[in-house]
Amino acid sequence: MKIPFGQSRQSTIGIEWELAVVDATTLEQVPAAELVLSHVDDPVDGPIRREYLTSMIEIVSGVHSHVDRAVAEMRSHLDFVLEKLDAHGLTLMGAGAHPFGDPTRQSPGDKAQYRRVTERNGWWGRHMAINGLHIHTGIDSRDKALPIVFGLARFTPYFIALSASSPYWEGEDTNFASQRTMMFQQLPTNGLPYHMNDWAQLERFASQLEGVGLIQNPSEIRWDVRPSSWGTVENRTMDSVPTSFEVGALAAFSQCIVEWMSRVLARGDEIDALPHWFLRENKWRAARYGLAADVITPRKEEYLIHVDDGIRMWADIVAPIADELGCAEELGHVLELVDRGPSYRRQRRIVSAGGSTHDVARALVDELRSGQPRFQEARK
């Protein structure tokens, strides 16, 4: 199976943001995406798209060199969708999973690939009511793509912890920061990338999967980090998040780390990596404990590091790159999330203060509209 890799300018970015359609009063997730999609020119490849469920919408940016411009475009598309939904008493929610809804009440769209997911995966397929955030970063040479894919996988726990927004499932605290991470990895071809020596090996791998009926096209290799035919590396590790503030922070962090890796390769050096079994352990720890996780690093002098300390360390390392790329402000928002709380912490503060998961859902809806995390309200 041939896998194309397009031409991109180094470190350009694109963003894909999956959102749930919900009733503005009851906050239940509802199959009403077509009320918006009927107003867009291209609901398949345009900036506002159909997704796996009929109660989901995906907002997609164009290609940008600067994070703030990508986020501004996303905000414009978001405002359009919200305006259309307002007329029907509906709105949007940004989270890895609905905090109290019944996932089995959601239905996949009428697309063969979606039907295969539902039918093949049984119980898991019927419960796959989850949303993610994907960040594409341009790579100027295909030879860099696979080393960066495997290198970026080492940062999975940092991106999971910063974006984790699905601690609740059907009204119950799962004790995981990201229930979505645990759900999504149940599907075949999902999960962490395998180390590939070169592009030919990747294509042989895809051919083998096709030969045994696992996939029909390369897009069904749904690794947490993967090369994209657009000429990018796609970071798919993250829960959907409630705010454009968080979208910008995560896009800047991903963009800067990918650019840092590209420069390492351009110098002729190798990117530090971890064996696959440690990548799996780190991913589980971050999904379970979020910022409080201790994760394994390839640094000889410090075998374990607290996730929040690791994020601060890497934000400092890539700060000069952020200045060059024009995303220093958004990278600073990463540190604000560490200090004041990603979504999973803000949600749990609401419940610990006597609120319900319905109150959590209301806060998620309000945050999406404002574009800003409700740090102070979450402390009450």
Side-chain angles (χ1 to χ4, degrees), residues 153-295:
R154 175 163 66 89
F155 292 86
T156 292
Y158 299 157
F159 287 102
I160 289 175
L162 284 168
S163 68
S165 61
S166 51
Y168 296 102
W169 185 259
E170 296 186 274
E172 180 181 355
D173 192 328
T174 65
N175 293 323
F176 278 74
S178 174
Q179 167 74 351
R180 170 198 160 272
T181 296
M182 307 309 295
M183 289 293 299
F184 193 53
Q185 70 181 13
Q186 304 304 321
L187 304 189
T189 79
N190 290 12
L192 290 158
Y194 297 109
H195 183 268
M196 299 284 167
N197 293 319
D198 53 36
W199 203 259
Q201 185 180 8
L202 175 65
E203 291 184 332
R204 287 194 301 272
F205 169 75
S207 296
Q208 290 169 345
L209 297 188
E210 181 186 32
V212 297
L214 265 175
I215 66 171
Q216 295 186 7
N217 61 73
S219 69
E220 293 180 279
I221 301 174
R222 300 183 183 92
W223 288 345
D224 298 329
V225 185
R226 67 181 181 183
S228 165
S229 61
W230 294 345
T232 67
V233 164
E234 183 183 7
N235 184 350
R236 298 160 49 84
T237 58
M238 295 158 282
D239 279 9
S240 180
V241 290
T243 68
S244 52
F245 175 100
E246 288 158 292
V247 170
L250 290 159
F253 197 36
S254 193
Q255 183 191 34
C256 289
I257 289 175
V258 169
E259 172 61 21
W260 179 85
M261 290 181 176
S262 178
R263 295 182 186 188
V264 169
L265 294 173
R267 293 196 304 266
D269 296 331
E270 293 185 356
I271 299 169
D272 288 340
L274 281 171
H276 200 269
W277 49 91
F278 281 162
L279 294 178
R280 284 174 57 88
E281 176 64 17
N282 282 349
K283 177 182 175 180
W284 187 91
R285 291 184 183 195
R288 172 67 173 88
Y289 299 109
L291 290 177
D294 288 317
V295 294

Side-chain angles (χ1 to χ4, degrees), residues 236-357:
R236 298 160 49 84
T237 58
M238 295 158 282
D239 279 9
S240 180
V241 290
T243 68
S244 52
F245 175 100
E246 288 158 292
V247 170
L250 290 159
F253 197 36
S254 193
Q255 183 191 34
C256 289
I257 289 175
V258 169
E259 172 61 21
W260 179 85
M261 290 181 176
S262 178
R263 295 182 186 188
V264 169
L265 294 173
R267 293 196 304 266
D269 296 331
E270 293 185 356
I271 299 169
D272 288 340
L274 281 171
H276 200 269
W277 49 91
F278 281 162
L279 294 178
R280 284 174 57 88
E281 176 64 17
N282 282 349
K283 177 182 175 180
W284 187 91
R285 291 184 183 195
R288 172 67 173 88
Y289 299 109
L291 290 177
D294 288 317
V295 294
I296 304 153
T297 81
R299 300 174 65 203
K300 292 182 175 61
E301 70 275 15
E302 191 170 27
Y303 200 56
L304 288 174
I305 192 169
H306 214 48
V307 163
D308 55 2
D309 290 334
I311 293 170
R312 290 189 181 95
M313 179 186 73
W314 276 100
D316 184 60
I317 289 171
V318 301
I321 291 175
D323 288 336
E324 294 178 39
L325 296 178
C327 61
E329 180 178 353
E330 289 80 10
L331 186 65
H333 294 163
V334 168
L335 298 178
E336 191 168 358
L337 287 170
V338 171
D339 291 337
R340 304 182 69 187
S343 180
Y344 79 93
R345 284 189 170 174
R346 303 197 303 272
Q347 292 179 41
R348 283 182 172 146
R349 287 169 185 156
I350 292 171
V351 173
S352 67
S356 66
T357 51

